[in-house]
Every structure is written in C-alpha cells, then in structure tokens.
Amino acid sequence: MEYSIQELSRLSGVTTRTLRWYDKIGLLKPSRVSESGYRYYGPVQVDRLQDILYYRALGVELARIKKCLDDPSFDRLSALRSHLMALQAEQMRLSRLIQSVKQTIETQERNEMMNDEQKFEAFKRQVVEDNEKAYGREIRKKYGHSQVNAANAAVMNLTQEQYKEWTDLGREIQVQLEDSVQGKKSPSSVEGREIVRLHRRWLTIANGNYEINRHKGIAALYVADERFSAYYDQNVPGCAQFLRDAVYHWADQI
C-alpha cells in the first residue's frame, strides 16, 4: 500500500513537517515523488519510519539512527528484539520507581519511617538499568549475559554502607583523574597507581572476583566508546585515556 505524506502523517502521528525534514537529511526518503512534487511512501518506508520511531523513543539521535539503518549489516529483527528489551527494562525501572514513591507517600501519610534499604532499593535499580541502557549491549557482547547479570545482581545486593562506599569511590576516582591530568602526571606515576588501586576496589565492591584481563577490557572501553569517554572527560579532557593507560601499566602490579 502507498501513502501520501498527509496519510503517513495521520497513520504515524509524525507531522508532515518532520517527514519533510527526514527527507531533507536523508533519513527517510519517499518511495517516489510525483511530477507535481507530492511525496509517496511504500511498505519499505513505513517499516523504516517505524524503526526510526523506536530508536527515537529510546533517545537515540537522528544521525546515529541514520547510520544504524543505512548499515548493510542492519538486522531489523535483532534491532526490534533489542528495542523490546530496552523498553521492557524502562518499564520495569519506572514501575519500581513508582512503587518506591508510593511507599514513601504511604509511610509519610501514616507518619511511619521507611527503612533505609527500601529508600535505596529504587536508586540501586536505577543505576543498574541506566548502565544497562547505556552500555549493556557492548558489555554483554564482550563478557556474556551470565557475567553481566551476575554483576547487576551484585549491585542490587549492596548494603547501604557498600553502596555509599561504591558511589564515594566513583567520585574520588574522578577527582584524582582530573587532578592528575591537569597536573600533567604520567599514568605510570604513583598517582596513576593509586587511581588504579581505587578503581580495582570500585570494581570489586559489588563483585568480589577480580580478573586483570577484565579490568583491562573495561578500561579499554573507556577510550573505545565515546559514551564512556564523555563521562570521564566531562570536566577535564584526557581522563578516560589516563585511566586506560594507568590500568594497562599497573593492573599486573597491584
């Protein structure tokens, strides 16, 4: 079946202005344009628009969506399965957060105290699910589902004290990284060694097992994946590279 731009707009809920913009940037070209200049869309374009909307619902930028959809190796079925998993995870995250807020309201209304474990349960879950959403695909591909699932479960099992230590360590690592980079220290310096020691501790709070190759692999992702780099370099560029190089130098020695 073929749709005019107005018909596709009504069908999808996407404005004609947006559809024209998608055409202009090459994200969604019509199947044909009539002599009078009207755009028409066929089944292939309808499926592509559906894919675009799924990616947009997950917060993916248009340029990245275009790159994914234009990739010759793009597997629509695999992408749909990934979308479903991501949306289900978001649904679970929101459900747990809603439940936590409800519990807080109920305890306040009854003038009761909510125990600390209940307060932090939703926040621990949010940390796990935010990481899963941002990095889950790459980490699962590299380390396998069982290891990642075990690591997520370990985070959820953290006590309040462990959770505080974990988050405090993350902030301390960032501060020391920024100080070292700004001070033009070498990753092989004593400052680099201390950062690697802290980072090792940060990795093992939730999971007591430590593997040097896993540590190095995670550090490599900090440079290879721009999302990790953006996190560590948010204030001082070069922190992700410093951490990776420091781990490569010191991981075998501490």
Side-chain angles (χ1 to χ4, degrees):
M1 185 172 181
E2 191 175 62
Y3 298 92
S4 68
I5 191 170
Q6 289 83 9
E7 291 170 335
L8 184 59
S9 175
R10 288 194 293 269
L11 177 69
S12 65
V14 178
T15 65
T16 56
R17 181 179 181 182
T18 298
L19 290 173
R20 291 189 183 95
W21 174 248
Y22 287 173
D23 181 8
K24 182 176 181 180
I25 64 176
L27 179 59
L28 180 66
K29 290 287 186 182
S31 58
R32 69 181 181 91
V33 179
S34 69
E35 292 182 0
S36 56
Y38 291 105
R39 296 171 173 84
Y40 290 92
Y41 300 82
V44 173
Q45 288 71 41
V46 172
D47 285 349
R48 185 176 173 100
L49 178 57
Q50 186 181 35
D51 292 334
I52 291 168
L53 295 179
Y54 285 143
Y55 276 116
R56 290 298 289 156
L58 296 172
V60 182
E61 295 179 352
L62 294 181
R64 189 176 173 202
I65 295 174
K66 184 177 185 301
K67 184 177 180 181
C68 290
L69 297 182
D70 289 345
D71 189 331
S73 64
F74 176 72
D75 184 334
R76 188 167 192 253
L77 183 57
S78 295
L80 288 171
R81 286 172 175 155
S82 295
H83 293 328
L84 179 60
M85 290 178 61
L87 291 170
Q88 287 174 332
E90 178 66 7
Q91 183 184 46
M92 291 175 63
R93 182 186 74 82
L94 290 173
S95 295
R96 291 189 179 95
L97 198 55
I98 289 169
Q99 184 60 33
S100 177
V101 173
K102 283 182 177 179
Q103 287 179 344
T104 305
I105 291 172
E106 289 170 359
T107 55
Q108 289 287 320
E109 288 176 341
R110 294 193 300 265
N111 199 28
E112 296 176 353
M113 293 296 292
M114 190 176 187
N115 69 56
D116 290 338
E117 290 300 322
Q118 289 175 314
K119 291 178 183 178
F120 286 98
E121 182 71 16
F123 293 103
K124 288 190 294 185
R125 175 65 63 181
Q126 186 166 357
V127 168
V128 168
E129 292 176 355
D130 285 349
N131 286 337
E132 187 74 35
K133 182 177 179 180
Y135 315 116
R137 179 180 295 182
E138 291 85 352
I139 295 175
R140 287 180 180 277
K141 183 177 180 180
K142 187 174 182 65
Y143 298 108
H145 293 291
S146 60
Q147 286 197 40
V148 175
N149 290 341
N152 288 344
V155 171
M156 290 304 301
N157 289 330
L158 289 174
T159 65
Q160 183 181 348
E161 292 75 18
Q162 289 173 322
Y163 182 78
K164 183 177 185 303
E165 181 185 3
W166 190 57
T167 54
D168 287 349
L169 264 177
R171 287 191 288 267
E172 179 61 23
I173 290 168
Q174 186 66 37
V175 168
Q176 293 203 24
L177 277 172
E178 294 175 2
D179 288 346
S180 295
V181 172
Q182 289 179 319
K184 301 187 183 303
K185 303 294 184 180
S186 167
S188 60
S189 65
V190 293
E191 288 84 1
R193 185 181 189 280
E194 176 61 12
I195 288 171
V196 174
R197 185 188 69 78
L198 293 175
H199 193 255
R200 172 174 174 164
R201 173 59 184 160
W202 180 80
L203 286 175
T204 55
I205 287 176
N207 186 343
N209 297 324
Y210 175 76
E211 297 178 5
I212 291 175
N213 289 337
R214 178 173 175 270
H215 194 176
K216 290 181 177 180
I218 291 173
L221 279 177
Y222 295 161
V223 174
D225 191 308
E226 62 184 12
R227 292 165 297 176
F228 282 110
S229 300
Y231 172 79
Y232 283 104
D233 294 351
Q234 57 186 303
N235 298 317
V236 180
C239 288
Q241 184 73 51
F242 186 99
L243 180 53
R244 196 287 302 268
D245 293 347
V247 168
Y248 270 51
H249 181 84
W250 289 109
D252 297 311
Q253 303 178 50
I254 60 174

